């Protein structure tokens, strides 16, 4: 073969080339690789997703400590960040339901009235309160809150954005004020104008839920966050169907009573539970 006979090979098509970056192994006990791709698509938050959601395959989850303890589980702070893009990381709230140590909700049977389970074996285990039953119950409560968060977010109720669910762990938006965890409404002392604004926001949120046939079921100033001038509703595992649950109306009236009592105590004399209840029913029917 002479030099004149030589024909250079054409360049490789870009579709057949790969570009990758290697990552160091995770060796910190407080860390794990991101579980974003470990869960199925339906276990990820609704679209369109906020820009802050980290979906990098190289992201690492770092445990930052416990945020609060509760009757059904504990909430931790967890940072998800790609080591090659640390400025793009985000801190989230990780709510983890207890399994074998899980304590069921007070009057939980009335909350779950009308709900059905896929497997009768699981339902029997829960009723017997066996160890397996408690594990199933933890998963059921986590799944219930996950579905409630997704639905409420989709219809415009002010709730934390649900990022993903993995077993009994829900990752969601961390609600903050000036970089710190937003206080519960019960911890605040709003002035007259802000108090009135909070009440209007509450009415709107409850009205939106009722229009969708939903009732929080355990609403109080302790499971509403005051994120500056806006309210954010949290703790939704016991959410009930207004019509499908025989106790739906009772739960709605109780939510109205709890919230109006708090607002009156803070100085908003116009907060009347019967008036609010009637207004919400007008939204429902």
């Amino acid at each position: 073969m002479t030099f004149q006979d030589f024909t250079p090979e054409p360049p490789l098509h870009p579709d057949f080339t790969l570009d990758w970056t290697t990552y160091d192994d995770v060796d910190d006990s407080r860390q794990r690789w991101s579980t974003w791709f470990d869960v199925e698509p339906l276990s990820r938050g609704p679209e369109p997703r906020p820009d802050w959601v980290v979906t990098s395959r190289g992201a690492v989850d770092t445990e930052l400590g416990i945020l609060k303890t509760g009757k059904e589980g504990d909430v931790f702070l967890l940072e998800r960040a790609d080591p090659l893009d640390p400025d793009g990381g985000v801190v989230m709230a990780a709510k983890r339901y207890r399994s074998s140590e899980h304590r069921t909700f007070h009057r939980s049977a009335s909350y779950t009235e009308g709900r059905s389970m896929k497997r009768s074996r699981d339902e029997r285990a829960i009723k017997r309160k066996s160890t397996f039953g408690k594990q199933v119950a933890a998963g059921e409560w986590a799944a219930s809150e996950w579905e409630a968060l997704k639905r409420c977010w989709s219809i415009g109720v002010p709730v934390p954005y649900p990022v993903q669910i993995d077993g009994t762990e829900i990752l969601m938006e961390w609600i903050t004020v000036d970089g710190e965890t937003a206080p519960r409404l019960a911890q605040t002392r709003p002035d007259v104008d802000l108090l009135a604004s909070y009440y209007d926001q509450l009415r709107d949120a409850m009205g939106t839920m009722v229009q969708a046939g939903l009732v929080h079921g355990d609403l109080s100033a302790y499971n509403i966050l005051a994120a500056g001038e806006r309210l954010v509703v949290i703790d939704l595992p016991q959410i009930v169907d207004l019509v499908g649950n025989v106790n739906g109306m009772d739960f709605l009236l109780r939510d109205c009573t709890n919230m109006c009592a708090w607002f009156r105590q803070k100085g908003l004399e116009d907060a009347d539970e019967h008036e609010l209840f009637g207004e919400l029913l007008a939204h429902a029917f």
Side-chain angles (χ1 to χ4, degrees):
M1 182 178 69
T2 65
F3 179 77
Q4 290 78 5
D5 296 328
F6 176 76
T7 302
E9 294 184 3
L12 195 62
H13 192 278
D15 290 346
F16 294 92
T17 62
L18 297 175
D19 184 19
W20 71 88
T21 304
T22 59
Y23 289 80
D24 295 332
D25 289 334
V26 174
D27 57 3
D28 190 321
S29 61
R30 300 178 301 115
Q31 294 182 319
R32 69 187 186 194
W33 291 110
S34 168
T35 56
W36 177 259
F37 289 99
D38 293 339
V39 301
E40 59 183 19
L42 291 178
S43 295
R44 300 173 193 151
E47 297 182 351
R49 300 186 182 102
D51 294 338
W52 53 262
V53 176
V54 176
T55 61
S56 169
R57 286 188 177 274
V60 173
D61 294 344
T62 303
E63 192 98 358
L64 301 180
I66 193 164
L67 183 61
K68 80 176 188 74
T69 59
K71 56 188 176 183
E72 72 276 3
D74 302 316
V75 181
F76 297 80
L77 287 181
L78 183 141
E79 181 186 40
R80 175 168 288 175
D82 187 321
L84 302 183
D85 181 27
D87 293 337
V90 63
V91 177
M92 300 177 288
K95 186 170 185 177
R96 295 166 186 164
Y97 282 80
R98 302 187 187 97
S99 53
S100 58
E101 300 85 13
H102 175 76
R103 293 193 305 160
T104 55
F105 288 94
H106 182 50
R107 297 189 302 274
S108 63
S110 57
Y111 287 117
T112 57
E113 184 76 33
R115 294 184 190 175
S116 61
M117 301 189 67
K118 293 181 180 179
R119 297 191 299 181
S120 59
R121 169 174 172 257
D122 294 346
E123 191 168 0
R124 292 195 303 269
I126 290 177
K127 289 180 179 179
R128 289 198 304 268
K129 298 182 180 180
S130 64
T131 299
F132 173 70
K134 292 178 181 179
Q135 294 172 342
V136 172
E140 286 294 316
W141 284 112
S144 176
E145 178 155 29
W146 170 252
E147 293 299 328
L149 283 168
K150 287 197 303 178
R151 189 172 178 188
C152 286
W153 173 270
S154 299
I155 63 177
V157 179
V159 297
Y161 176 76
V163 177
Q164 70 174 71
I165 183 173
D166 186 9
T168 57
E169 178 188 71
I170 299 176
L171 298 184
M172 67 186 81
E173 179 184 4
W174 177 36
I175 306 299
T176 64
V177 177
D178 298 328
E180 300 292 333
T181 302
R184 297 173 185 270
L185 182 60
Q187 299 171 311
T188 66
R189 294 182 178 179
D191 59 32
V192 175
D193 291 338
L194 185 56
L195 187 68
S197 173
Y198 280 166
Y199 187 66
D200 288 340
Q201 292 180 52
L202 173 72
R203 290 165 55 195
D204 290 343
M206 295 180 72
T208 301
M209 292 181 70
V210 167
Q211 280 183 316
L214 303 175
V215 179
H216 187 284
D218 193 28
L219 197 59
S220 75
Y222 289 95
N223 45 34
I224 297 177
L225 300 180
E229 296 186 352
R230 71 185 183 102
L231 297 183
V232 179
V233 181
I234 60 172
D235 293 338
L236 298 163
Q238 71 295 315
I239 197 167
V240 298
D241 188 302
L242 178 62
V243 178
N245 188 306
V246 296
N247 304 296
M249 293 293 183
D250 293 335
F251 281 127
L252 179 60
L253 180 57
R254 191 177 72 181
D255 285 352
C256 293
T257 302
N258 288 342
M259 293 312 307
C260 287
W262 186 86
F263 276 96
R264 282 198 304 272
Q265 183 184 29
K266 295 301 178 181
L268 191 65
E269 297 298 333
D270 294 337
D272 180 87
E273 56 266 33
H274 299 292
E275 180 180 333
L276 178 59
F277 182 70
E279 179 183 333
L280 294 175
L281 288 185
H283 282 289
F285 302 106

